[in-house]
Amino acid sequence: MIEFFLTTADEGTQQIDEPQPGCWINVVAPTVEERAWLATKLEIAPEFVRAAVDDDERAHVDYDDDTGQALIIMDCPFVEDEVEAEDISIVQYDTHPLAAIFLPRQDMIVTVSLRENPTVTSFAEGKVRHVNTNQRTRLLLQITLRVSQRYLSCLRSIDRQFRENERILRRTMSNRELIRMLGFEKSLVYFSTSLRSIEATLTRISQGRVIKLYEDDRDLLDDVFIEVRQAIEMCSITTNILNGTTETFSSVINNNLNLTMRTLTVITIVLSIPTIVFSFYGMNVGLPFSQTWLIPIAIALGCIGIAAVFFRSSHLFK
C-alpha cells in the first residue's frame, strides 16, 4: 500500500493521488511491484529499498553520496502476533524496523514499514497536530518522538502485567506464571536493544551531516533525546526488578524443595528402624524374645522415639 500526503497553507495536510514535491509518501507492506516502483519512479537507491524491506535490519543511518539520499532506520514496538506469542493470555511485545528515506532532489520523504504501524497511522489519519510534510527533518523527529512515547506506554503495560503476575506467584508457585516471567524478560531485551540503537541513530542525526538540521529542530531533537533516554532508564529499572524477583522466587522454590526432601529423608530413616528390627525374625536363626512380639515392638517404638528426639533437636522438623 502506498499513500501520498501533502501539506498546503489552505487545506493543511491532505491525502493526494500522485506524488508531488514536498509530499510525504507512506509505504506499508510493499509488494514486489511497489518496490520496483520505488526504485524506478522515485529513483531510490536499490540498496536503500532492500534495507527498508528487511525485517532483520538494525537501526542505523546511511547516506548515498551520488544521489544525496539518506536512509534512517529505527525499531518500533509492536504487540506480538497471536501466532508468534507463547501465551496469548498476556500481552508480549516485539520490535520491527521503520525506514525513512530522504529524497532531496524530489523534495520528498518516504516511510516504509513491513506491517501496519500505529505510530505512522496516527500521522496519516491526522491525529498528530502541527504536521508539515514540507519540513522533512521535523516530520522525522515528530515520528521518532511518537515512537519513543509508544515505548514508554508499552513499558508501563509490561510493568502492570509484571506486578499482577507477582501477586499471583505470592499465592501459588505455578509454572504458568514463571513462564510468563520469561515472556516479560524477552520483551525487555528487545526494547533495550532497540532503544539504544535509536539513541545512537539520534546522535548521528544531531551532528547534521546526514540530514540538514534547522534551528527550530534542535529543541524537538532534545525532546526526543529526553524521551528515548527516559525509556532506556525505565527499561533498565524494570529489567533489574524482574531479574531480582525471578532470582528471589527461584531461591524460594529451591528452599521449599530442600525442606520437602529433608522431611522425606527423616520419614525414610524413621520407618527403616522397625524394618531392621523385624527383619531379624525372618531369618532361620534363634533369637531371644521369639516367643512374644511385645518386646520387639517395644524396642522398635523406643528406637523411633529416640530418632524423633534426635531429629527434633537437630531442627530437621523446623
Side-chain angles (χ1 to χ4, degrees):
M1 181 185 70
I2 301 180
E3 298 175 324
F4 310 98
F5 298 91
L6 180 65
T7 302
T8 60
D10 299 332
E11 300 179 356
T13 303
Q14 299 290 333
Q15 186 171 356
I16 57 178
D17 297 329
E18 295 293 334
Q20 299 180 16
C23 74
W24 162 41
I25 303 175
N26 180 33
V27 183
V28 179
T31 61
V32 176
E33 292 78 10
E34 290 172 341
R35 298 176 189 179
W37 182 86
L38 293 174
T40 56
K41 182 67 174 180
L42 298 182
E43 299 180 351
I44 299 177
E47 60 271 17
F48 284 1
V49 176
R50 288 193 296 268
V53 297
D54 187 359
D55 196 25
D56 296 326
E57 193 73 22
R58 298 190 61 184
H60 68 279
V61 178
D62 200 357
Y63 183 78
D64 186 33
D65 295 326
D66 297 332
T67 61
Q69 299 175 1
L71 171 68
I72 297 93
I73 295 180
M74 69 186 76
D75 290 326
C76 299
F78 285 85
V79 177
E80 196 172 42
D81 294 335
E82 292 186 0
V83 294
E84 299 176 355
E86 299 175 357
D87 187 355
I88 61 175
S89 63
I90 61 173
V91 180
Q92 298 186 28
Y93 296 93
D94 199 355
T95 58
H96 295 280
L98 170 65
I101 305 174
F102 281 69
L103 306 177
R105 294 180 181 177
Q106 296 87 340
D107 191 20
M108 300 176 186
I109 180 173
V110 182
T111 57
V112 182
S113 55
L114 295 180
R115 59 179 62 191
E116 193 73 28
N117 193 317
T119 303
V120 179
T121 302
S122 63
F123 281 82
E125 294 178 350
K127 297 180 180 179
V128 182
R129 297 183 302 173
H130 308 300
V131 173
N132 190 339
T133 60
N134 296 282
Q135 300 174 347
R136 297 188 299 270
T137 302
R138 189 171 186 82
L139 178 60
L140 173 64
L141 294 178
Q142 287 175 321
I143 293 175
T144 309
L145 179 62
R146 300 283 291 194
V147 168
S148 60
Q149 291 172 347
R150 181 167 175 79
Y151 270 109
L152 289 171
S153 177
C154 294
L155 286 170
R156 284 190 288 269
S157 174
I158 292 175
D159 184 66
R160 287 193 298 269
Q161 295 182 78
F162 167 68
R163 293 180 184 276
E164 178 62 27
N165 196 67
E166 184 182 2
R167 283 194 291 268
I168 297 175
L169 280 174
R170 290 180 183 273
R171 298 192 300 267
T172 173
M173 290 288 183
S174 63
N175 293 335
R176 182 183 180 87
E177 275 66 36
L178 292 173
I179 294 175
R180 285 182 177 181
M181 292 289 197
L182 178 61
F184 297 145
E185 185 176 1
K186 183 175 69 173
S187 299
L188 290 172
V189 169
Y190 290 151
F191 281 8
S192 178
T193 304
S194 300
L195 285 168
R196 296 190 183 279
S197 299
I198 291 177
E199 185 183 25
T201 301
L202 290 173
T203 302
R204 180 84 181 276
I205 293 175
S206 64
Q207 297 174 357
R209 299 176 183 175
V210 178
I211 58 177
K212 186 176 182 181
L213 281 175
Y214 298 91
E215 191 64 30
D216 294 339
D217 298 331
R218 293 288 180 179
D219 294 336
L220 181 57
L221 180 61
D222 292 338
D223 293 338
V224 177
F225 265 116
I226 291 173
E227 294 290 332
V228 170
R229 287 166 181 168
Q230 182 180 353
I232 291 174
E233 184 177 359
M234 185 175 179
C235 184
S236 177
I237 293 173
T238 306
T239 302
N240 292 336
I241 295 175
L242 176 62
N243 292 336
T245 304
T246 303
E247 292 177 1
T248 300
F249 281 116
S250 177
S251 299
V252 170
I253 293 173
N254 292 333
N255 186 53
N256 292 339
L257 178 62
N258 291 337
L259 291 176
T260 302
M261 295 302 298
R262 182 182 299 175
T263 302
L264 293 176
T265 302
V266 170
I267 294 174
T268 302
I269 295 175
V270 171
L271 293 178
S272 66
I273 296 176
T275 303
I276 295 173
V277 173
F278 287 102
S279 64
F280 287 107
Y281 286 86
M283 301 178 183
N284 296 325
V285 178
L287 295 174
F289 316 115
S290 59
Q291 293 79 13
T292 178
W293 289 90
L294 295 177
I295 294 179
I297 292 176
I299 295 174
L301 293 176
C303 294
I304 292 175
I306 294 172
V309 172
F310 171 75
F311 286 117
R312 187 175 182 84
S313 62
S314 301
H315 303 283
L316 289 178
F317 284 148
K318 295 183 180 181

